[in-house]
Amino acid sequence: MDAHGIEAEPWAAQSYATLYILADAIVKAETKDAAGIRDALAQTMDFPTILGNFSFDPNGEALYDPIILRVNGGVFEVYE
């Protein structure tokens, strides 16, 4: 539980990773054009996130190990 009195959900980790993946693609695309950003996203390979390294396969499916760690009593544990 954090300072807000609620336990973080796995969606928070996925949202956090998504934001960084998208931001990286926007920087690499060097454009605000949706097609350019889409193409940059498609080139995402082994991008480091809190979910582990993230890639897209040729069909646009996400490739990553869906393991999320959380801190419990000062120790990392797998969030299930």
Side-chain angles (χ1 to χ4, degrees), residues 2-3 7 10 17 19-21 25 31 35 37-39 41-42 45 57-59 61-62 64-65 67 70 74 76 78:
D2 67 4
E7 193 168 312
L19 175 66
Y20 278 89
I21 293 163
T31 181
I37 295 168
R38 177 203 61 214
D39 293 344
L41 277 170
M45 294 296 294
D57 73 9
N59 297 315
E61 296 294 324
Y64 66 99
D65 289 327
I67 297 172
R70 69 176 177 177
F76 282 113
V78 175

Side-chain angles (χ1 to χ4, degrees), residues 5-77:
I6 60 172
E7 193 168 312
E9 296 287 331
W11 304 114
Q14 291 173 335
S15 297
Y16 184 86
T18 298
L19 175 66
Y20 278 89
I21 293 163
L22 178 58
D24 181 67
I26 291 170
V27 169
K28 288 179 178 172
E30 298 180 349
T31 181
K32 295 178 186 174
D33 178 66
I37 295 168
R38 177 203 61 214
D39 293 344
L41 277 170
Q43 299 301 313
T44 300
M45 294 296 294
D46 296 322
F47 185 76
T49 74
I50 60 173
L51 303 173
N53 287 347
F54 182 95
S55 301
F56 285 109
D57 73 9
N59 297 315
E61 296 294 324
L63 300 173
Y64 66 99
D65 289 327
I67 297 172
I68 300 171
L69 299 177
R70 69 176 177 177
V71 177
N72 186 12
V75 177
F76 282 113
E77 67 181 17

